[in-house]
Amino acid sequence: MTTESLAVRTDTPVRTSIGKTRRGGHRLMRQGAGRQHHAGPLAYVLLAVMAILSIFPLYWTMVAASTDNTRVSQTPPPFLPGPNLFSNLARAWDEAAMGKAMINSLIVAGVIALSTVLFATLAGFAFAKLRFKGRNALLMLVIGTMLVPPQLGVVPLFMMMSKLGWSQQLPAVIFPTLVSAVGVFFMRQYLSEALPDELVEAGRVDGAHSLRIFWSIVLPIARPAMAVLFMITFVQAWNDFFWPFVVLDMSNPTVPVALTQLSAGYVRDQSLIMAGALLGTLPLLAMFIVFGRQIVGGIMAGAVKG
């Protein structure tokens, strides 16, 4: 028996075993991928407790808004809804001018959320994938602005809005918050991981400029993070109270500013305040019910791509 035939005979079983091992490994991976993992009883108990703790504040707001001020102040407080929900909602709607306040909040929160998503995605793409002088220093400067308390800029910002003639108007609330450092950093971190350098280089080879690459390549990949950033920014802008309270008045308020009208007076009507808070929360709940599945699905798609 020659050396070559011995090599062939000894090599064939090894290759066969390797092939079988690889096929067996792929088969196990497919079985593991299709297998459903069931949670134990403890996981369901923890999820139920967390769901109850999360829903209880909203439920208590509805209970307090459906009773009168005397019943809310009693000990123990009521735990079942009362008969005055719709009457208290109507009073809060009229006394706080909630119709105009909701329109103003929708305009302010929508414009701020859209502009933040657009500018933060542009800046995040630049910081993540473009090479230019001073990139790291500029990124550190953007992150450094997150350390400055916003209350320090209230006086000069109010003077600036007054000189522009925007005092008591919605642009005074919108323009100072068209983009946020948190959004820029968030999009930069996401695109650094989710956007491969090879796609950007392929776009360059095809002759596409930076804006074309941003429109055709970056936006589809960044859509999950953009949806999350839009939701967070919209909720934050809708609930913002401090700066709108400084720069706006009761003739042109947002929802948080309008709700202060309900707490005026020597004796506060807690049921009326809760009714106004419930009115201000309903648009956010409706938006999350409508778009929540798309947002969660976008997050999961981004996680799989990453």
Side-chain angles (χ1 to χ4, degrees):
M1 183 179 296
T2 62
T3 307
E4 294 179 356
S5 61
L6 180 60
V8 171
R9 291 182 181 180
T10 55
D11 183 59
T12 302
V14 174
R15 291 183 179 179
T16 304
S17 61
I18 292 176
K20 291 182 179 179
T21 304
R22 289 179 178 177
R23 288 193 297 270
H26 291 308
R27 189 180 300 110
L28 290 175
M29 291 175 62
R30 287 195 299 269
Q31 292 176 356
R35 185 183 304 163
Q36 295 182 354
H37 299 277
H38 298 281
L42 180 60
Y44 286 106
V45 171
L46 291 177
L47 289 175
V49 171
M50 294 302 298
I52 293 173
L53 292 178
S54 301
I55 296 174
F56 182 76
L58 181 62
Y59 175 76
W60 167 248
T61 302
M62 184 186 67
V63 171
S66 62
T67 59
D68 52 21
N69 196 34
T70 304
R71 184 70 180 93
V72 173
S73 304
Q74 291 179 355
T75 303
F79 289 99
L80 295 177
N84 302 327
L85 177 61
F86 294 103
S87 60
N88 288 338
L89 291 177
R91 286 178 55 202
W93 183 275
D94 294 333
E95 294 186 18
M98 291 296 292
K100 186 175 183 179
M102 283 192 177
I103 294 175
N104 290 342
S105 289
L106 183 62
I107 294 173
V108 169
V111 173
I112 291 176
L114 289 175
S115 64
T116 299
V117 168
L118 175 62
F119 295 138
T121 307
L122 279 168
F125 168 60
F127 284 126
K129 298 301 176 180
L130 300 184
R131 301 292 182 264
F132 54 91
K133 185 179 295 185
R135 183 187 65 168
N136 294 331
L138 187 58
L139 179 61
M140 291 298 104
L141 180 63
V142 171
I143 297 175
T145 59
M146 299 166 57
L147 305 177
V148 180
Q151 291 80 5
L152 296 180
V154 169
V155 175
L157 189 58
F158 183 81
M159 295 173 61
M160 185 184 301
M161 295 298 106
S162 299
K163 290 183 179 180
L164 292 174
W166 290 347
S167 181
Q168 315 302 334
Q169 298 181 16
L170 296 183
V173 182
I174 295 174
F175 277 87
T177 52
L178 284 178
V179 67
S180 64
V182 177
V184 173
F185 181 74
F186 174 74
M187 294 305 302
R188 188 262 177 189
Q189 294 300 109
Y190 180 84
L191 291 175
S192 296
E193 299 294 334
L195 180 61
D197 295 334
E198 291 78 6
L199 289 180
V200 179
E201 296 299 329
R204 296 291 187 191
V205 172
D206 291 339
H209 51 79
S210 297
L211 290 179
R212 179 64 179 177
I213 293 174
F214 176 79
W215 181 262
S216 301
I217 299 176
V218 177
L219 285 184
I221 294 177
R223 193 174 301 164
M226 292 169 65
V228 175
L229 182 60
F230 179 88
M231 187 71 177
I232 295 174
T233 307
F234 187 92
V235 173
Q236 182 179 4
W238 182 277
N239 294 328
D240 189 18
F241 170 75
F242 180 69
W243 175 242
F245 182 75
V246 171
V247 77
L248 298 178
D249 58 7
M250 290 301 172
S251 63
N252 195 29
T254 57
V255 169
V257 177
L259 291 179
T260 60
Q261 189 71 16
L262 300 177
S263 60
Y266 293 101
V267 179
R268 295 183 178 181
D269 192 341
Q270 298 295 334
S271 61
L272 188 63
I273 296 174
M274 290 298 180
L278 184 61
L279 284 174
T281 308
L282 289 179
L284 297 179
L285 292 177
M287 186 182 68
F288 186 79
I289 291 174
V290 174
F291 300 106
R293 181 174 298 179
Q294 287 79 2
I295 293 174
V296 174
I299 296 173
M300 296 305 298
V304 172
K305 289 181 180 179

